[in-house]
Amino acid sequence: MKKGFVFDLDGVITDTAKFHYIAWKNLGKSLGITIDEIFNETLKGISRMDSLDKILAHGHRENDFTLDEKEELAKKKNDEYVKLLANLSEEDLLPGVHDFLVQAKQNNIPCAIASASKNAPMILEKLGVLDFFEHIVDPETLKKGKPNPEIFIKAAKSINVEPKDSVGFEDAQAGIEGIKASGMYAVGISTSERLKGADVQVASMEDLTITQF
Ligand code: B16
Ligand code: MG
């Protein structure tokens, strides 16, 4: 059996993409940039600043702001996003997640979070699952975001397992690429797209049991 589990957050543990979408859409509107749900898909797993850069490029406004102004725009988006998360609770865990974490705990398999989100600790606390994770990689410490494997390698190290002995769970193509490049077994979780390179793909964590790894 594998010795460690590494989870993405948004799209795997809970689905906050709809809140990211509302906040980015409103920020875009204030800048005269329209984004739709299809464009929003391309922001999944991408860091806050890289998402802003993509949105500005989408609206041909990539050269219109200084770094300080961009920091301010990213903060404005995050303030709205955090407000939208106010009522997040255990009910917002995606199907099968709680059961899987309980199984991992019962079998002494350590779990870590490899999420691009700087809000991960707060979100996990609201979801009531913070204590299931031995470590949350701080995205501020990364040189490169997904699809670079750095975040997954750091996550495995934090729970003292080799990537080859770990399983990574992801809902985004960039994440699957990072997991595979780190040497882990990759589980893709998505109903909306085929995740290329995943060792197995399921619709939700409900379709998984830890004994299969
Ligand atoms: P924050 P994941 C990612 O989370 C989201 O998918 C992505 O849309 C978001 O921009 C990114 O976190 C950063 O989030 O603004 O909260 O720091 O899928 O890597 O768990
Ligand atoms: Mg994700």
Side-chain angles (χ1 to χ4, degrees), residues 8-12 44-45 146 170-172:
D8 175 47
L9 175 63
D10 289 334
V12 172
K44 286 190 175 172
K146 300 169 189 177
E170 258 288 352
D171 69 310

Side-chain angles (χ1 to χ4, degrees), residues 58-130:
H58 183 66
H60 308 291
R61 299 205 58 187
E62 61 270 46
N63 299 317
D64 291 0
F65 302 95
T66 65
L67 193 54
D68 281 354
E69 286 167 341
K70 288 205 298 183
E71 297 282 1
E72 201 43 49
L73 292 174
K75 181 183 176 306
K76 193 172 156 196
K77 179 267 172 177
N78 191 56
D79 288 348
E80 181 174 10
Y81 174 64
V82 169
K83 274 190 197 144
L84 292 166
L85 297 178
N87 296 323
L88 205 70
S89 73
E90 285 168 32
E91 285 170 25
D92 296 295
L93 281 172
L94 285 170
V97 171
H98 193 266
D99 275 5
F100 194 92
L101 292 172
V102 169
Q103 285 183 52
K105 199 179 181 106
Q106 284 167 349
N107 287 274
N108 296 316
I109 300 180
C111 296
I113 291 283
S115 164
S117 176
K118 295 179 188 171
N119 295 298
M122 177 269 284
I123 292 173
L124 291 166
E125 174 137 52
K126 279 180 171 290
L127 295 169
V129 292
L130 186 59

Side-chain angles (χ1 to χ4, degrees), residues 5-203:
F5 294 139
V6 174
F7 298 82
D8 175 47
L9 175 63
D10 289 334
V12 172
I13 305 277
T14 189
D15 187 9
T16 53
K18 54 185 177 289
F19 300 128
H20 281 295
Y21 178 48
I22 295 169
W24 281 129
K25 200 178 163 70
N26 287 339
L27 184 82
K29 206 170 168 187
S30 72
L31 303 172
I33 302 170
T34 307
I35 61 167
D36 59 16
E37 278 183 66
I38 295 166
F39 181 80
N40 190 54
E41 286 294 309
T42 68
L43 304 178
K44 286 190 175 172
I46 307 292
S47 77
R48 198 180 305 166
M49 201 37 99
D50 287 350
S51 300
L52 176 63
D53 283 337
K54 267 180 165 255
I55 290 167
L56 294 178
H58 183 66
H60 308 291
R61 299 205 58 187
E62 61 270 46
N63 299 317
D64 291 0
F65 302 95
T66 65
L67 193 54
D68 281 354
E69 286 167 341
K70 288 205 298 183
E71 297 282 1
E72 201 43 49
L73 292 174
K75 181 183 176 306
K76 193 172 156 196
K77 179 267 172 177
N78 191 56
D79 288 348
E80 181 174 10
Y81 174 64
V82 169
K83 274 190 197 144
L84 292 166
L85 297 178
N87 296 323
L88 205 70
S89 73
E90 285 168 32
E91 285 170 25
D92 296 295
L93 281 172
L94 285 170
V97 171
H98 193 266
D99 275 5
F100 194 92
L101 292 172
V102 169
Q103 285 183 52
K105 199 179 181 106
Q106 284 167 349
N107 287 274
N108 296 316
I109 300 180
C111 296
I113 291 283
S115 164
S117 176
K118 295 179 188 171
N119 295 298
M122 177 269 284
I123 292 173
L124 291 166
E125 174 137 52
K126 279 180 171 290
L127 295 169
V129 292
L130 186 59
D131 292 346
F132 283 106
F133 299 97
E134 285 191 13
H135 188 79
I136 300 168
V137 177
D138 178 359
E140 300 262 26
T141 64
L142 302 172
K143 289 188 191 75
K144 288 191 171 166
K146 300 169 189 177
N148 190 283
E150 184 183 6
I151 192 168
F152 297 104
I153 293 169
K154 277 198 166 160
K157 205 171 252 174
S158 77
I159 51 175
N160 298 311
V161 289
E162 293 291 327
K164 67 173 175 48
D165 296 322
S166 313
V167 183
F169 301 85
E170 258 288 352
D171 69 310
Q173 187 59 47
I176 293 292
E177 284 164 28
I179 291 173
K180 288 312 295 173
S182 78
M184 286 183 196
Y185 183 88
V187 177
I189 301 174
S190 179
T191 47
S192 60
E193 66 174 310
R194 197 178 80 76
L195 295 164
K196 288 189 279 304
D199 292 297
V200 66
Q201 179 165 346
V202 291

